[in-house]
Amino acid sequence: MAIELAPLPLPPTADQAKFDSDFGREVKGISPGELTPDQFQEIHDALYKHSALLFRDVTLTPEQQYALTKAFDPEAESYGHGNHKTQSTKKSILHPDLKTIPRVPQVQLIGNGTVTNHEGLESAALKHPSHTTFHKTKVSEEDEAAGITRFYRWHIDAALYDYSPPRVTTLYGITVPQGPQQKVRYDDGTGDELTVPLGTTAFVSGKKMFDLLPPKLKSLAVRTKVRYAPHPYVWMAPARAVSTGLGIENDGLELPLNELPEWEESKVMTLPILWKNPVTGGLHFQVHPCGAQELEITALPQVIAREGALYPDGGRITDLAEVRALLYKMQRPAIAPELVYPHDWKERDLVLFHNRGVLHTVVGAFKPDQVRAFHQCNLAASDVPVGPTEEDVLDVCLANA
């Protein structure tokens, strides 16, 4: 029997005419921890087509969650940042956010408050990431008390050094505190705001991010790769983010390369801006703006007119401010309030998302006594993301010349 898929209910803030109509489906009538091979194949294809899948009222052990995640990449073995690595690298900005489930090190406990006697962890002090510790500016205490908040950090789940970006992330809500809605304020001069459920995870489509680009930027995106900093989460730790959570301020606070943990050039990641969907063939704009260090641009195909094109002869952008400004110009339209899906978490929700097809962010703030517990799993992939083919480059450049 075919699986049943239903559209996710879009928030009132979404623009139905602009929103990616393929984004997000709820899967009904099957248990994600006990899929038959045929059912998994349907789930596999549905995820790549719809970018995010929701299962409601699920019972899922850490072992089942790991098995489900691994089914999308059977050769993958370790957590996306390496088993036990985030907690041992104390200079990393990820260090406070993750606690490893001892018997299944590929599954992480994330959330807020103190969790006791949980899956082999006697006690775990969890802290929900907040913009107040990562952004250069923050909302006032009065505004925060009134429910004003921000996006924390738009990102892809990926180490971006040594380990290849995971194909899929699974998030399972175990303890989900309820409370009044909060209002995300962009604070970037646009006046943009977004009303969200407490503790939402917000998603945007990488396909939509590419589709929104004007012709010159589409032609540039299809020809460009991003070089990430070595140990990017250590490198960026002293720096502070812009108010939308979409990148880092240019204050020169990044850790100098010679002060990073020992690193090897061969493990530094250089990845295309656009990642090709293995099922639909679509191109998704997939850049983690906070870790980006340089851009490498190939020349336009010879048959394309140079006049008016951006970087027609290719080149390399090494100025960090220029890198960030260009990426922000390309990515910011896709996080407009009408294009964001903020998931309204319920206990025992399981969300699978195509980590190579969407960007996402933690949102909001909890009080210290509000206990929240989630299991997260993603696996460092057995392959690197596939970028545009030569045919894709030619087609995009011809269409946007």
Side-chain angles (χ1 to χ4, degrees):
M1 183 175 70
I3 62 173
E4 181 183 350
L5 300 176
L8 292 181
L10 295 181
T13 49
D15 186 327
Q16 301 276 354
K18 296 180 181 178
F19 207 88
D20 183 351
S21 61
D22 278 332
F23 181 87
R25 293 294 186 270
E26 180 180 351
V27 185
K28 299 182 178 182
I30 60 172
S31 171
E34 301 172 335
L35 298 175
T36 67
D38 287 345
Q39 288 173 332
F40 173 74
Q41 188 59 51
E42 289 188 80
I43 294 297
H44 173 278
D45 292 352
L47 181 65
Y48 284 112
K49 180 178 180 181
H50 300 295
S51 296
L53 299 179
L54 167 65
F55 297 79
R56 294 273 194 201
D57 198 24
V58 167
T59 299
L60 196 71
T61 67
E63 288 83 357
Q64 288 174 318
Q65 186 171 356
Y66 168 51
L68 174 61
T69 311
K70 185 177 173 65
F72 285 89
D73 190 356
E75 295 179 24
E77 295 293 340
S78 74
Y79 180 62
H81 293 264
N83 293 343
H84 303 290
K85 290 293 183 68
T86 54
Q87 285 161 254
S88 63
T89 309
K90 296 187 185 300
K91 290 183 178 180
S92 168
I93 60 172
L94 301 180
H95 170 69
D97 301 342
L98 304 168
K99 306 295 181 187
T100 297
I101 301 298
R103 70 178 190 275
V104 191
Q106 298 84 357
V107 177
Q108 311 300 315
L109 173 65
I110 62 175
N112 191 73
T114 300
V115 177
T116 58
N117 299 318
H118 181 88
E119 301 291 357
L121 291 167
E122 183 176 343
S123 179
L126 307 176
K127 188 173 182 181
H128 185 75
S130 165
H131 85 276
T132 60
T133 61
F134 184 53
H135 289 198
K136 182 177 180 178
T137 64
K138 56 185 179 181
V139 305
S140 68
E141 291 183 4
E142 294 79 11
D143 281 349
E144 188 170 30
I148 303 299
T149 190
R150 287 183 180 170
F151 300 125
Y152 175 59
R153 177 173 63 243
W154 287 102
H155 67 285
I156 305 159
D157 287 337
L160 299 172
Y161 174 81
D162 194 14
Y163 299 93
S164 187
R167 297 178 185 176
V168 172
T169 292
T170 58
L171 274 177
Y172 179 48
I174 300 166
T175 303
V176 181
Q178 298 300 305
Q181 291 186 317
Q182 297 184 325
K183 182 178 287 186
V184 173
R185 209 167 59 194
Y186 287 56
D187 283 338
D188 63 348
T190 63
D192 279 353
E193 294 181 337
L194 177 67
T195 300
V196 298
L198 176 67
T200 184
T201 307
F203 297 91
V204 293
S205 164
K207 179 180 181 299
K208 175 62 70 172
M209 188 174 283
F210 175 56
D211 290 346
L212 285 172
L213 293 178
K216 289 182 181 180
L217 290 179
K218 280 185 177 176
S219 175
L220 181 63
V222 79
R223 298 182 285 120
T224 303
K225 293 182 178 181
V226 180
R227 176 186 164 95
Y228 291 95
H231 299 294
Y233 301 97
V234 179
W235 172 76
M236 74 173 78
R240 290 295 175 261
V242 300
S243 61
T244 57
L246 193 66
I248 299 291
E249 293 277 8
N250 295 303
D251 294 328
L253 298 177
E254 297 77 19
L255 204 64
L257 298 187
N258 61 3
E259 295 182 22
L260 293 175
E262 185 176 352
W263 59 277
E264 301 173 26
E265 182 66 31
S266 63
K267 295 181 179 180
V268 172
M269 288 277 171
T270 300
L271 299 170
I273 277 182
L274 303 181
W275 297 0
K276 196 173 180 71
N277 188 307
V279 170
T280 69
L283 297 174
H284 297 244
F285 195 115
Q286 294 297 114
V287 174
H288 190 322
C290 293
Q293 188 180 33
E294 298 180 4
L295 299 177
E296 299 176 3
I297 307 164
T298 60
L300 278 170
Q302 289 297 320
V303 296
I304 306 296
R306 260 61 179 161
E307 185 176 354
L310 298 173
Y311 301 94
D313 299 318
R316 187 174 178 186
I317 304 176
T318 59
D319 180 84
L320 200 49
E322 188 177 352
V323 169
R324 288 171 173 163
L326 184 54
L327 289 175
Y328 193 85
K329 182 179 182 180
M330 299 170 93
Q331 292 187 284
R332 173 59 175 86
I335 69 164
E338 64 269 20
L339 297 176
V340 176
Y341 172 71
H343 183 62
D344 189 1
W345 286 101
K346 308 298 182 189
E347 290 190 355
R348 308 208 319 167
D349 274 1
L350 173 68
V351 172
L352 283 64
F353 62 88
H354 177 204
N355 186 55
R356 295 182 174 189
V358 303
L359 268 67
H360 69 286
T361 179
V362 168
V363 187
F366 289 102
K367 297 175 182 177
D369 62 349
Q370 287 181 301
V371 177
R372 183 180 199 252
F374 278 54
H375 285 172
Q376 180 217 55
C377 184
N378 58 62
L379 302 175
S382 60
D383 60 359
V384 295
V386 174
T389 63
E390 289 185 8
E391 184 178 0
D392 290 328
V393 172
L394 184 59
D395 288 347
V396 171
C397 292
L398 279 172
N400 294 281

